[in-house]
């Protein structure tokens, strides 16, 4: 027969018929069980060490208890008799019995947990410093990470307000709470800014190498496949030259040829959305609030199409349109015509908001300020004018060039404006002061200008496109990048959130890769390049609800939150003239602060009304006296006139 060990080894893990397969598996102990076993082992070792340390001459407590002489047990009498000990027990009180019982049975003595905890407090503190909650090492950097001061300055709001006196404790508490909420929002915004992963990079050449000599083919060979696919050419020589426009999200591209060719596509996936020929001259194309609609300025009128190429509207009030700009937060389409009219169309309701006659001739140079929605127009006399739909006259008129203005562009912050003219000069202006910062001379001049989200400037001269960097901070001596095209340039625009520059020219369209041009981090609630159709529909509804009225367009949008001090002064002067006295000159009655809820706002107003007539009593007396004096003077003058009228003069003989 086989031994028991052989049977255990030969058995497999597969259950057989007729055998009991419900064997208990060996369960691995949990961490709390390991801790208990460890404590028990420590207690055993401590007890063994204590036994070893006892002297040979002395006996342990256990041995002493065993060797003690047992006291004889006293029996009670059966018939109610009591011995001496029984008499003593009867005479003892209840607390004495309790103390004696506890002394006889030491296990029943209650230990105070506070004393035990206090005894081992120092040991627990030392252990907690070395170990964490889960038994591991403590975090060397406890708490939340500090936010840099530079990030906090970026999101800092107004200065802290001075809290009122402690008498106005309710207002003081509300202001303190609002300040705490403001600080928390500032810290959260700064922390979220730290989490933005993307960063803008620029093109850097080797030693003694200019970046303007690097071609687009070299860039596409050095970058990954996805970035290299952003450089491509569309050979459309039959219907050119072309104007272009990118959507707000930067995903869709709209191109329009001079000879009637119009097409829109998703330029990243190269998926064509629609393509048509309107059989008419196309002057400009522009996306509207979403990629579902776009406007085309044709030879005679303005047309609105959807993304499938279906004509939605033909607006005959807008005729001979040359350039267009769309204001996304106001849902306004601004158009400049060959007849010298600047017109605004509200796309949400389909009505004309304003039609302004500029009296400056043909308007073929136009751009918008993204910061305050002001339209900039360039004229043939070298002037640039700023317009708002609320006024019939120009807000600002600047003399920028000695010849005609060829192109104008404004950066996204609304701080700098770049212009180019027939005098072959490129000028940079600070819009806040309307003064020039830099002036550059280009041998052939610049026909088209465009500014990127990161401040790169692209200028087209003939068939060459040059990109400049930091044109307003330091004088620029050479371009950042340069590229030669097949035909003369007719349109330029940087793609939002991408390092791409779109160029429309006589031979079609070219997409250039310009490192460091686009903003790497986008706001998903404003312009999300990866939004779905459902998200676009929801965004469109919210944008319509948050639409800004055209009456709020002004040169300085910060003026809307300020107090009209001039109007207040004028109204105060009118009130003083009407009343005959200044009601704000005398200090008004200030009620004394009372406790127990008697200084509520309603009670304070009641007390003010009770003594309100006393503040104006003296003033009313003075006004009444002044009026009486004036009336007396007027009466005297009337009497004098009557007396003079009753007397006859030498000229009365000529009266009939």
């Amino acid at each position: 027969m086989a031994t028991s060990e052989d049977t255990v080894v030969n058995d497999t893990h597969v259950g057989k018929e007729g055998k009991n397969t419900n064997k208990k598996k060996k369960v691995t102990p949990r961490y709390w069980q390991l801790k208990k076993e460890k404590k028990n082992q420590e207690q055993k070792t401590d007890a063994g060490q204590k036994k070893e340390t006892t002297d040979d001459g002395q006996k342990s407590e256990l041995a002493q208890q065993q060797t003690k002489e047992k006291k004889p047990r006293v029996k009670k009498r059966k018939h109610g008799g009591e011995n001496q000990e029984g008499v003593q027990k009867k005479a003892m009180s209840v607390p004495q019995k309790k103390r004696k019982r506890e002394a006889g049975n030491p296990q029943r003595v209650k230990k105070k947990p506070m004393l035990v905890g206090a005894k081992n407090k120092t040991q627990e503190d030392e252990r907690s410093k070395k170990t964490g909650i889960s038994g591991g090492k403590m975090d060397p950097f406890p708490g939340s990470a500090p936010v840099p001061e530079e990030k906090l300055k970026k999101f800092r709001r107004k200065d802290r307000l001075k809290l009122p006196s402690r008498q106005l404790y309710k207002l003081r508490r509300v202001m303190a709470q609002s300040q705490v909420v403001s600080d928390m929002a500032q810290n959260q915004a700064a922390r979220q800014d730290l989490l933005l992963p993307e960063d803008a990079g620029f093109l850097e050449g080797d030693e003694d190498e200019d970046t303007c000599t690097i071609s687009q083919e070299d860039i596409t060979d050095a970058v990954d496949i996805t970035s290299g696919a952003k450089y491509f050419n569309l050979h459309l020589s039959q219907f050119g030259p072309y104007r272009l426009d990118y959507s707000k999200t930067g995903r869709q591209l709209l191109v329009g040829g001079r000879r009637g060719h119009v097409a829109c596509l998703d330029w990243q996936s190269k998926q064509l959305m629609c393509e048509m020929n309107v059989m008419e001259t196309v002057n400009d194309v522009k996306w509207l609030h979403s990629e579902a609609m776009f406007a085309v300025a044709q030879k005679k009128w303005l047309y609105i199409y959807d993304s499938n190429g279906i004509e939605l509207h033909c607006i005959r009030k807008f005729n001979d349109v040359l350039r267009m700009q769309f204001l996304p937060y106001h849902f306004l389409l601004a158009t400049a015509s060959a007849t010298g009219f600047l017109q605004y169309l509200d796309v949400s309701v389909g009505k004309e908001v304003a039609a302004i006659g500029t009296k400056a001739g043909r308007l073929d140079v136009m751009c918008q300020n993204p910061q305050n929605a002001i339209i900039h127009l360039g004229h043939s006399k070298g002037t640039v004018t700023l317009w708002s739909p609320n006024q019939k006259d120009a807000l600002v008129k600047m003399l920028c060039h000695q010849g005609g203005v060829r192109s104008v562009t404004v950066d996204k912050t609304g701080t700098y404006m770049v212009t180019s003219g027939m005098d072959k000069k490129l000028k940079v202006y600070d819009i806040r002061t309307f003064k020039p910062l830099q002036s550059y001379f280009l041998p052939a001049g610049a026909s088209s200008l465009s500014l990127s989200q990161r401040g790169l400037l692209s200028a087209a001269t003939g068939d060459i496109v040059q990109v400049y960097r930091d044109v307003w901070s330091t004088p620029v001596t050479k371009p950042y990048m340069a590229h030669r095209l097949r035909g003369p340039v007719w349109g330029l625009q940087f793609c939002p959130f991408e390092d791409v520059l779109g160029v429309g020219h006589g031979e079609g369209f070219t997409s250039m890769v310009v490192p460091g041009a686009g903003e790497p981090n986008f706001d998903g609630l404003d312009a999300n390049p990866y939004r779905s159709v459902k998200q676009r529909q929801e965004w469109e509804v919210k944008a319509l609800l948050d639409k800004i009225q055209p009456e709020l367009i002004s040169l300085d949008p910060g003026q809307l939150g300020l107090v009209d001090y001039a109007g207040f002064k004028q109204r105060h002067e009118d009130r003083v003239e009407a009343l005959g006295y200044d009601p704000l000159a005398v200090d008004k009655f200030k009620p004394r602060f009372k406790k127990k809820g008697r200084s509520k706002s309603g009670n304070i107003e009641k007390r003010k009304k009770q003594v309100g007539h006393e503040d104006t009593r003296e003033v009313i007396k003075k006004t009444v006296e002044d009026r009486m004096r004036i009336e007396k003077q007027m009466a005297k003058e009337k009497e004098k006139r009557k007396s003079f009228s009753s007397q006859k003069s030498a000229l009365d003989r000529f009266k009939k």
Side-chain angles (χ1 to χ4, degrees):
M1 291 179 67
T3 60
S4 61
E5 294 179 358
D6 295 337
T7 56
V8 173
V9 173
N10 292 332
D11 285 341
T12 62
H13 66 282
V14 182
K16 294 182 181 180
E17 295 181 0
K19 290 188 177 182
N20 186 13
T21 59
N22 297 328
K23 295 181 179 180
K24 293 183 180 179
K25 295 182 181 180
K26 190 174 182 181
V27 183
T28 57
R30 301 295 183 181
Y31 66 90
W32 58 81
Q33 296 175 353
L34 292 174
K35 286 185 177 180
K36 289 181 180 179
E37 293 179 0
K38 193 174 181 180
K39 285 184 179 180
N40 295 332
Q41 291 179 1
E42 289 178 356
Q43 291 176 0
K44 289 179 181 179
T45 54
D46 293 339
Q49 289 176 0
K50 288 180 181 179
K51 287 181 180 180
E52 291 176 358
T53 55
T54 54
D55 297 336
D56 296 334
Q58 296 179 355
K59 292 183 179 181
S60 63
E61 295 179 359
L62 185 62
Q64 288 179 3
Q65 289 179 2
Q66 291 178 358
T67 55
K68 279 184 180 179
E69 295 180 358
K70 296 181 179 180
K71 294 182 180 181
R73 186 177 179 183
V74 180
K75 295 182 179 181
K76 296 181 181 180
R77 295 180 183 179
K78 292 182 180 180
H79 299 285
E82 293 180 356
N83 54 7
Q84 188 176 0
E85 190 173 352
V87 175
Q88 292 178 359
K89 284 183 179 180
K90 188 175 181 180
M92 283 192 299
S93 61
V94 176
Q96 290 176 350
K97 290 180 181 179
K98 189 175 180 181
R99 284 198 297 269
K100 188 173 181 181
R101 187 165 59 247
E102 290 176 353
N105 190 2
Q107 294 181 357
R108 297 184 64 179
V109 179
K110 294 182 180 180
K111 297 181 180 180
K112 295 182 180 181
M114 294 297 293
L115 298 175
V116 177
K119 185 177 180 181
N120 301 328
K121 188 175 181 180
T122 56
Q123 297 178 0
E124 291 178 359
D125 292 342
E126 292 178 357
R127 290 177 184 174
S128 63
K129 289 179 181 178
K130 296 179 181 179
T131 60
I133 298 174
S134 60
K137 293 183 178 180
M138 290 294 291
D139 187 5
F141 306 101
S144 58
V147 183
E149 287 293 333
E150 297 178 357
K151 296 291 183 181
L152 289 174
K153 288 180 181 179
K154 180 180 178 182
F155 297 97
R156 183 169 294 169
R157 301 183 182 181
K158 292 184 178 180
D159 297 335
R160 290 177 175 270
L161 298 174
K162 186 178 180 180
L163 296 178
S165 61
R166 294 188 178 275
Q167 293 180 352
L168 303 173
Y169 60 92
K170 290 186 178 180
L171 178 61
R172 185 184 179 91
R173 184 174 67 250
V174 171
M175 291 179 65
Q177 290 177 355
S178 63
Q179 188 64 42
V180 171
V181 173
S182 177
D183 294 343
M184 184 179 66
Q186 175 186 347
N187 292 332
Q188 288 181 352
R191 289 186 184 280
Q192 290 180 357
D193 193 43
L194 289 172
L195 297 176
L196 296 177
E198 302 295 335
D199 192 10
F202 287 95
L203 188 65
E204 295 182 358
D206 296 334
E207 295 181 359
D208 300 332
E209 182 183 9
D210 293 336
T211 55
C212 61
T213 60
I214 301 175
S215 63
Q216 291 290 311
E217 288 76 10
D218 297 338
I219 295 175
T220 53
D221 293 340
V223 298
D224 57 315
I225 298 174
T226 306
S227 300
K230 295 177 182 177
Y231 168 65
F232 61 91
N233 293 291
L234 299 178
H235 300 287
L236 306 169
S237 59
Q238 186 176 359
F239 302 104
Y242 280 84
R243 290 201 186 275
L244 72 147
D245 183 44
Y246 285 102
S247 62
K248 189 179 179 181
T249 59
R251 291 280 300 184
Q252 286 75 23
L253 172 66
L254 178 65
V255 294
R258 181 78 175 175
R259 297 184 178 92
H261 180 223
V262 178
C264 59
L265 68 154
D266 188 342
W267 66 271
Q268 293 188 5
S269 62
K270 309 300 187 296
Q271 183 180 0
L272 186 65
M273 299 170 66
C274 76
E275 185 179 11
M276 59 183 175
N277 197 319
V278 298
M279 305 299 292
E280 198 176 9
T281 302
V282 173
N283 295 321
D284 199 3
V285 291
K286 185 64 62 176
W287 286 107
L288 298 184
H289 58 278
S290 68
E291 58 271 15
M293 296 169 60
F294 60 89
V296 180
Q298 297 178 200
K299 181 180 180 181
K300 202 170 184 181
W301 296 311
L302 178 66
Y303 290 84
I304 307 295
Y305 298 92
D306 67 352
S307 58
N308 297 322
I310 301 173
E311 181 183 332
L312 301 178
H313 302 283
C314 174
I315 306 172
R316 300 188 178 184
K317 286 186 177 180
F318 293 72
N319 56 336
D320 299 328
V321 176
L322 298 178
R323 300 304 301 269
M324 295 185 296
Q325 289 292 330
F326 183 72
L327 310 178
Y329 300 105
H330 304 77
F331 283 77
L332 292 179
L333 180 65
T335 62
S337 63
T339 57
F341 274 87
L342 175 63
Q343 295 173 283
Y344 289 86
L345 174 67
D346 193 340
V347 178
S348 60
V349 295
K351 292 183 179 180
E352 183 183 11
V353 174
I356 305 170
T358 60
K359 302 176 183 179
R362 182 183 175 90
L363 302 176
D364 56 350
V365 178
M366 182 183 188
C367 77
Q368 68 162 312
N369 188 342
Q371 182 68 18
N372 52 15
I374 295 294
I375 297 297
H376 295 233
L377 296 177
H379 306 285
S380 58
K381 295 182 180 180
T383 58
V384 174
T385 54
L386 279 63
W387 298 87
S388 170
N390 305 318
Q391 295 186 12
K392 297 297 182 181
D393 298 329
L395 302 175
V396 178
K397 185 179 290 186
M398 303 169 58
L399 180 61
C400 298
H401 296 275
Q402 296 179 357
V405 180
R406 301 184 68 184
S407 182
V408 181
T409 182
V410 183
D411 70 327
K412 69 172 186 177
T413 61
T415 307
Y416 304 104
M417 179 181 69
V418 185
T419 62
S420 64
M422 297 293 292
D423 55 356
K424 301 180 182 180
K425 286 186 179 181
L426 182 72
K427 292 186 179 182
V428 182
Y429 287 86
D430 190 344
I431 303 178
R432 297 170 295 183
T433 58
F434 304 107
K435 293 182 179 180
L437 298 177
Q438 303 290 341
S439 180
Y440 304 98
F441 178 80
L442 298 178
S447 60
S448 297
L449 299 174
S450 180
L451 277 168
S452 71
Q453 293 177 326
R454 302 288 295 184
L456 295 183
L457 173 66
S458 62
T461 56
D463 59 347
I464 297 175
V465 175
Q466 295 178 341
V467 181
Y468 298 92
R469 184 179 175 184
D470 299 332
V471 292
W472 43 71
S473 59
T474 56
V476 179
T477 57
K478 57 184 177 181
Y480 171 61
M481 289 184 65
H483 184 66
R484 183 181 290 273
L485 303 166
R486 295 187 177 184
V489 178
W490 207 47
L492 277 177
Q493 188 179 357
F494 280 97
C495 181
F497 311 112
E498 293 287 346
D499 293 342
V500 171
L501 173 63
V503 185
H505 49 87
E507 296 295 325
F509 171 80
T510 299
S511 177
M512 294 173 52
V513 178
V514 183
E519 178 66 34
N521 301 293
F522 60 88
D523 186 2
L525 299 177
D526 184 25
N528 186 4
Y530 307 103
R531 65 188 180 190
S532 61
V533 178
K534 186 67 175 177
Q535 289 175 337
R536 179 182 61 80
Q537 294 173 353
E538 295 291 335
W539 170 86
E540 190 172 354
V541 174
K542 292 179 180 178
L544 283 169
L545 293 174
D546 297 337
K547 185 183 76 168
I548 303 173
Q549 296 299 322
E551 291 80 9
L552 301 179
I553 297 177
S554 62
L555 194 61
D556 185 8
Q559 293 290 333
L560 297 175
L562 300 178
V563 180
D564 187 9
Y565 291 104
F568 174 77
K569 290 180 181 179
Q570 187 65 33
R571 289 194 299 271
H572 181 64
E573 291 176 359
D574 297 341
R575 187 181 177 189
V576 170
E577 291 180 0
L579 295 175
Y581 65 94
D582 189 359
L584 303 179
V586 184
D587 294 336
K588 291 186 176 181
F589 170 71
K590 293 182 180 179
R592 186 170 57 87
F593 181 78
K594 295 182 179 181
K595 296 181 179 180
K596 296 184 180 180
R598 288 180 292 177
S599 285
K600 294 181 179 179
S601 59
N603 295 335
I604 290 174
E605 292 298 326
K606 287 180 181 178
R607 277 186 273 165
K608 286 182 179 179
K609 287 182 180 179
Q610 290 175 0
V611 296
H613 63 281
E614 295 179 0
D615 295 337
T616 59
R617 182 178 295 174
E618 296 180 359
V619 180
I620 292 172
K621 285 182 179 180
K622 290 182 181 179
T623 54
V624 170
E625 291 175 357
D626 294 339
R627 287 181 182 176
M628 293 293 290
R629 186 176 63 255
I630 293 170
E631 289 178 357
K632 287 181 180 179
Q633 291 178 358
M634 294 177 66
K636 288 180 180 180
E637 290 179 358
K638 286 183 179 179
E639 290 178 357
K640 287 181 180 180
R641 289 175 185 174
K642 287 181 180 179
S643 62
F644 285 122
S645 62
S646 60
Q647 296 177 1
K648 294 183 179 180
S649 64
L651 299 176
D652 290 340
R653 65 180 184 273
F654 297 105
K655 293 181 180 180
K656 292 183 180 180

